[in-house]
Amino acid sequence: MAEEKESTSVPLSQAVDPEDPAKAPPASPNSTRKACCAVLQSWVSRKFMTGCVVLFPVAVTFFITWWFIQFVDGFFSPLYEKLGVDIFGLGFLTSLIFVFLVGIFVSSWLGATVFWVGEWFIKKMPFVRHIYSASKQISTAISPDQNTTAFKEVAIIRHPRVGEYAFGFITSSVILQSEKGDEELCSVYVPTNHLYIGDIFLVNSNDIIRPNLSIREGIEIIVSGGMTMPQVIAPLERMHRMNQSICLNRIT
């Protein structure tokens, strides 16, 4: 038994000190190879994900654009096929010209009357009228022709609690008459799900923050879920004061 204990014991000179890496045994080639493979695999995966992040919006943009061109081209391309003309993109170009001519026609008195009659028939349909009203609200908001139903301004209101803010659109204004005097209230439309589903709040005009954002920029912020939010948002009053100070400094 004594001989077995002596054979299994390790001399102190050959013992491994865990705190001294110089005395540690050299790493095996297999462990070094595994570490290099892990580092290389991590680097390749990161670069691959970086490429996916960069190419994903480009691919989506080209896919939607190509689908839109084929969709619009399909309106008039069958007509050209019957005439024996097979030129890709000719139907798309014809559709653009057709939309342009419709815009000119609707701008006239006769076109506006015809459009009003067609809109009246659509609003009488039970299911189609809801789809038409929602889509018209969106198109009217971004229309270059400002009318009474379009979004007036982008607004920021304190909602739902103090210290929290919500994006909305000013649609109209109303005068509230009370014993304390007249109070101007603005009708602020705050989308809650999509652009055509939301709540309407009557907010005092003095409590509304009017940022330096256009209607289209506000719609892009809401539709993108806030991903297109600018880094700095300043009220229009502050921007106006800054422009005035710059002009005065230049004059002096």
Side-chain angles (χ1 to χ4, degrees):
M1 297 294 292
E3 293 178 357
E4 293 180 357
K5 291 182 179 178
E6 290 178 359
S7 61
T8 55
S9 62
V10 180
L12 293 177
S13 59
Q14 298 180 1
V16 178
D17 188 3
E19 295 182 357
D20 190 359
K23 296 181 179 180
S28 62
N30 292 332
S31 61
T32 305
R33 190 181 299 107
K34 290 181 180 179
C36 294
C37 291
V39 173
L40 182 61
Q41 184 178 2
S42 177
W43 182 82
V44 171
S45 62
R46 287 200 305 270
K47 296 304 179 182
F48 181 78
M49 290 303 299
T50 303
C52 290
V53 170
V54 173
L55 293 178
F56 178 75
V58 177
V60 171
T61 303
F62 276 101
F63 175 77
I64 295 177
T65 304
W66 182 255
W67 174 84
F68 178 76
I69 292 175
Q70 289 182 333
F71 176 76
V72 177
D73 186 76
F75 286 102
F76 290 95
S77 58
L79 179 63
Y80 288 110
E81 289 178 359
K82 293 181 179 180
L83 297 176
V85 179
D86 188 9
I87 301 176
F88 178 77
L90 186 59
F92 178 76
L93 181 61
T94 306
S95 300
L96 295 181
I97 297 174
F98 176 75
V99 172
F100 177 73
L101 295 177
V102 168
I104 296 177
F105 178 70
V106 174
S107 301
S108 63
W109 177 82
L110 179 61
T113 304
V114 173
F115 180 77
W116 179 84
V117 173
E119 189 178 34
W120 182 81
F121 278 108
I122 293 176
K123 289 182 178 180
K124 294 299 180 180
M125 299 180 182
F127 179 73
V128 178
R129 62 183 179 183
H130 299 290
I131 302 175
Y132 178 77
S133 299
S135 57
K136 184 181 179 181
Q137 184 179 6
I138 299 175
S139 62
T140 303
I142 61 177
S143 174
D145 299 330
Q146 297 294 330
N147 49 40
T148 56
T149 59
F151 295 156
K152 304 300 181 183
E153 295 179 78
V154 179
I156 299 176
I157 63 174
R158 291 178 175 88
H159 172 75
R161 292 185 295 269
V162 178
E164 297 182 2
Y165 298 88
F167 267 105
F169 300 96
I170 299 177
T171 56
S172 61
S173 61
V174 61
I175 302 297
L176 178 63
Q177 296 180 349
S178 61
E179 296 179 355
K180 297 181 180 180
D182 296 343
E183 182 181 7
E184 183 183 2
L185 301 178
C186 293
S187 176
V188 180
Y189 174 77
V190 178
T192 56
N193 187 6
H194 297 290
L195 193 61
Y196 52 86
I197 300 177
D199 300 324
I200 297 176
F201 300 94
L202 293 177
V203 185
N204 193 308
S205 59
N206 296 325
D207 297 333
I208 296 177
I209 302 174
R210 293 173 169 85
N212 57 336
L213 298 174
S214 63
I215 301 297
R216 294 186 180 181
E217 290 174 342
I219 293 175
E220 289 178 358
I221 291 173
I222 292 175
V223 172
S224 65
M227 289 185 289
T228 60
M229 184 80 67
Q231 294 183 352
V232 178
I233 297 178
L236 292 175
E237 298 177 356
R238 182 178 178 183
M239 296 293 295
H240 182 65
R241 289 197 300 267
M242 290 176 61
N243 293 333
Q244 285 183 347
S245 62
I246 292 174
C247 293
L248 291 176
N249 292 332
R250 289 180 178 178
I251 292 174
T252 55

